Amino acid sequence: MGHGMSEQKTPSQNTVRAICALGLVKGLPPEVATHVASLARVDVLPDGAGVFTQGAVAQRAYAVLVGAVRIRQIGSDGAQALMRMIAPGEMFGTVALFTEGYYPADAETAMSSHIASWSKADFIALTMNFPQIAINIIGMVGQRLANVQNRLREMATQSAEQRIAHALLMLVEQSGAVQAEVCEICIPLRRRDVAELAGTTLYTASRQLAAWEKVGLLARSRQMLVVRDANRLRRIAQGGLL
Amino acid sequence: MGHGMSEQKTPSQNTVRAICALGLVKGLPPEVATHVASLARVDVLPDGAGVFTQGAVAQRAYAVLVGAVRIRQIGSDGAQALMRMIAPGEMFGTVALFTEGYYPADAETAMSSHIASWSKADFIALTMNFPQIAINIIGMVGQRLANVQNRLREMATQSAEQRIAHALLMLVEQSGAVQAEVCEICIPLRRRDVAELAGTTLYTASRQLAAWEKVGLLARSRQMLVVRDANRLRRIAQGGLL
């Protein structure tokens, strides 16, 4: 955690409620969820604050309660790419506690955020004492794996337009709005973020987003992107015409 | 499991030894590993046999003891891609037991193979009774996630030549030979497999493999590919010249 950027608080009622709603404690009795919340540290961070850096020894597991976090990875060849945006209710930096012990990417807030975290010792103890927590983590990591595998297949087989549509639909899903036709993506996105999530160039992504805004498929509201016709976007993702 | 293609056996001594060496039971006392082995069913399958199909309800978790398995996924647009080759000692079809309950891909043997498997009920009970098993699964799935994320970044930033080099190096690692200069990839590979793992065309992959065979970087031994200079392949993967 960067210096002078974080402010620790004793978990408030809202915070406890947010932690008890995490997939991490799904299926566990309320008193266990409250126990998990009591072990959390909560940091309030401004936009652009570093949470952890690639290659650092993993010491904590994290969850976004409010805000959003960018996960960026630098390859051994120096090329950097956005791996994922983390939305409220999602965890990050968790797997490294169970594998090699080093964070595989950088994590940085994409807007002002409330971040909950647990020490490695507490987190491992929780998984040992409450196997359901370990099972929940397997489910979360497995879901993440399925998403990344889908993106990998898309990269090999789909057009840039389709991949941009898929990237936006994934962000809609992360924002919790899967049913509605009009849905705001609650994560602030730069055009570069969309380009990197879709594995295309800034030029291609910018041109595509502008074209979709022009025909009313997308709109901007404050910093956020609004999908005005999710079904149409789904048809484009499937390879149909606009 | 396909009809009439499998032959069930009571686990032999060799089989028990292979199961006790799986990452699944790492850090557990021998009697627990033996218990895990006793719950396994072992199928001896010919080349090209289906183990499970995409979209089927997940009922078992699997491990390759001998042989190799192809994991292939069909997208909603009908395009198919090889997601991963599973080598001896690796598990597959595991995550679906903890997530949506459907296998996200097809699994098919790439050579005659011995496949161990556990019922969903037994497997979930093992993770509940021995949290270390759940933690081992988190580590395995997390490692898989890190690999796929690396490939995704490579797809966005690297040349086809580099990606083919990375795909071969990953297969070398799965074959257990990470140190030696000359190493056989113990998984039978079609040129199409290499193309799909690297996210490139059959034409590009074939041309690259032929060029590397010509300069002595690769050789064929029976059905298997032999990397004759792993360090040189690593330099190519990093973006250096042949």
Side-chain angles (χ1 to χ4, degrees), chain B residues 22 62-65 84-92 140 144 174 187:
Chain B
L22 292 176
Y62 297 87
V64 174
L65 302 182
R84 187 178 171 85
M85 300 290 293
I86 308 290
E90 293 187 319
M91 302 206 57
F92 63 105
M140 291 189 297
R144 199 77 51 99
Q174 288 182 263
I187 301 168

Side-chain angles (χ1 to χ4, degrees), chain B residues 2-242:
Chain B
H3 304 292
M5 296 191 298
S6 69
E7 174 196 325
Q8 291 188 28
K9 312 191 304 179
T10 310
S12 69
Q13 274 301 98
N14 275 347
T15 295
V16 172
R17 220 175 355 250
I19 292 174
C20 291
L22 292 176
L24 184 69
V25 292
K26 204 176 65 182
L28 286 161
E31 60 271 23
V32 176
T34 310
H35 172 61
V36 172
S38 74
L39 295 172
R41 184 181 92 188
V42 176
D43 293 287
V44 178
L45 299 175
D47 184 14
V51 180
F52 55 74
T53 50
Q54 185 171 339
V57 173
Q59 295 181 311
R60 305 187 73 80
Y62 297 87
V64 174
L65 302 182
V66 174
V69 164
R70 267 191 203 91
I71 306 292
R72 295 180 64 80
Q73 195 179 54
I74 307 174
S76 54
D77 56 357
Q80 221 189 39
L82 178 63
M83 305 312 293
R84 187 178 171 85
M85 300 290 293
I86 308 290
E90 293 187 319
M91 302 206 57
F92 63 105
T94 307
V95 171
L97 300 185
F98 299 96
T99 53
E100 291 173 345
Y102 301 94
Y103 292 118
D106 285 341
E108 179 189 289
T109 54
M111 61 192 293
S112 66
S113 302
H114 296 200
I115 307 291
S117 65
W118 294 263
S119 74
K120 179 171 180 169
D122 282 347
F123 204 71
I124 301 277
L126 284 173
T127 57
M128 294 297 282
N129 296 332
F130 305 102
Q132 184 62 48
I133 290 184
I135 288 177
N136 290 341
I137 296 170
I138 297 172
M140 291 189 297
V141 181
Q143 194 57 59
R144 199 77 51 99
L145 178 62
N147 283 341
V148 181
Q149 283 184 322
N150 281 338
R151 282 169 63 195
L152 191 64
R153 184 176 40 67
E154 289 162 17
M155 284 286 284
T157 63
Q158 299 191 346
S159 69
E161 182 185 27
Q162 283 175 284
R163 300 200 311 261
I164 295 168
H166 273 294
L168 294 181
L169 288 168
M170 188 174 84
L171 292 161
V172 163
E173 202 176 308
Q174 288 182 263
S175 296
V178 275
Q179 301 301 333
E181 261 319 276
V182 175
C183 29
E184 187 179 79
I185 293 173
C186 71
I187 301 168
L189 290 171
R190 303 174 299 198
R191 290 174 307 170
R192 183 180 158 202
D193 293 330
V194 176
E196 293 190 7
L197 284 177
T200 184
T201 61
L202 178 57
Y203 174 75
T204 301
S206 300
R207 203 179 45 172
Q208 189 64 68
L209 292 174
W212 286 342
E213 282 188 45
K214 201 168 170 190
V215 297
L217 179 56
L218 293 180
R220 297 212 161 253
S221 152
R222 290 158 293 138
Q223 273 191 56
M224 307 301 175
L225 212 53
V226 179
V227 174
R228 301 193 58 82
D229 191 342
N231 263 337
R232 210 159 141 201
L233 198 59
R234 272 182 210 107
R235 283 196 301 273
I236 294 170
Q238 300 298 316
L241 295 172
L242 182 65

Side-chain angles (χ1 to χ4, degrees), chain A residues 1-2 5-7 43-51 109 111-115:
Chain A
M1 202 64 72
M5 296 191 298
S6 69
E7 174 196 324
D43 293 287
V44 178
L45 298 175
D47 184 13
V51 180
T109 53
M111 61 192 295
S112 66
S113 301
H114 296 200
I115 308 291

Side-chain angles (χ1 to χ4, degrees), chain A residues 41-94:
Chain A
R41 184 182 91 189
V42 177
D43 293 287
V44 178
L45 298 175
D47 184 13
V51 180
F52 55 73
T53 50
Q54 185 170 341
V57 174
Q59 295 181 310
R60 305 186 73 80
Y62 298 87
V64 174
L65 302 183
V66 174
V69 164
R70 266 190 203 92
I71 305 292
R72 295 179 65 79
Q73 195 179 55
I74 307 174
S76 54
D77 56 357
Q80 220 190 38
L82 177 63
M83 305 311 293
R84 187 178 171 83
M85 300 290 292
I86 309 289
E90 294 187 320
M91 301 205 58
F92 63 104
T94 307

Side-chain angles (χ1 to χ4, degrees), chain A:
Chain A
M1 202 64 72
H3 304 291
M5 296 191 298
S6 69
E7 174 196 324
Q8 290 188 28
K9 314 189 303 179
T10 310
S12 68
Q13 274 301 99
N14 275 347
T15 295
V16 172
R17 221 177 352 253
I19 292 174
C20 291
L22 292 175
L24 184 70
V25 293
K26 204 177 64 182
L28 286 161
E31 59 272 23
V32 175
T34 310
H35 172 60
V36 171
S38 75
L39 295 172
R41 184 182 91 189
V42 177
D43 293 287
V44 178
L45 298 175
D47 184 13
V51 180
F52 55 73
T53 50
Q54 185 170 341
V57 174
Q59 295 181 310
R60 305 186 73 80
Y62 298 87
V64 174
L65 302 183
V66 174
V69 164
R70 266 190 203 92
I71 305 292
R72 295 179 65 79
Q73 195 179 55
I74 307 174
S76 54
D77 56 357
Q80 220 190 38
L82 177 63
M83 305 311 293
R84 187 178 171 83
M85 300 290 292
I86 309 289
E90 294 187 320
M91 301 205 58
F92 63 104
T94 307
V95 171
L97 300 184
F98 299 96
T99 53
E100 292 174 344
Y102 301 95
Y103 292 118
D106 286 339
E108 180 189 289
T109 53
M111 61 192 295
S112 66
S113 301
H114 296 200
I115 308 291
S117 66
W118 293 263
S119 74
K120 179 171 179 169
D122 282 347
F123 203 72
I124 301 277
L126 283 172
T127 57
M128 295 297 282
N129 296 333
F130 305 102
Q132 184 61 48
I133 290 184
I135 288 176
N136 290 341
I137 296 171
I138 296 171
M140 290 189 298
V141 180
Q143 195 55 57
R144 199 77 52 99
L145 178 63
N147 283 340
V148 181
Q149 283 184 322
N150 281 339
R151 281 169 64 194
L152 190 65
R153 185 176 39 68
E154 289 162 17
M155 284 286 285
T157 62
Q158 299 191 346
S159 69
E161 181 185 27
Q162 283 176 283
R163 300 201 311 263
I164 296 168
H166 273 295
L168 294 181
L169 287 169
M170 189 174 82
L171 291 161
V172 164
E173 203 175 308
Q174 288 183 263
S175 297
V178 276
Q179 301 301 335
E181 262 317 277
V182 176
C183 29
E184 186 179 78
I185 293 173
C186 71
I187 301 168
L189 291 170
R190 302 174 300 199
R191 290 175 308 171
R192 183 180 158 202
D193 294 331
V194 176
E196 293 190 6
L197 284 177
T200 184
T201 61
L202 178 57
Y203 174 76
T204 301
S206 300
R207 204 179 44 174
Q208 189 63 69
L209 293 174
W212 286 341
E213 282 188 45
K214 202 168 168 189
V215 297
L217 181 54
L218 293 180
R220 297 211 162 255
S221 151
R222 289 158 294 138
Q223 273 191 57
M224 308 300 176
L225 211 55
V226 178
V227 175
R228 300 192 60 82
D229 191 343
N231 263 339
R232 209 158 141 201
L233 197 60
R234 273 184 208 106
R235 284 196 300 273
I236 294 170
Q238 301 296 319
L241 294 172
L242 181 64

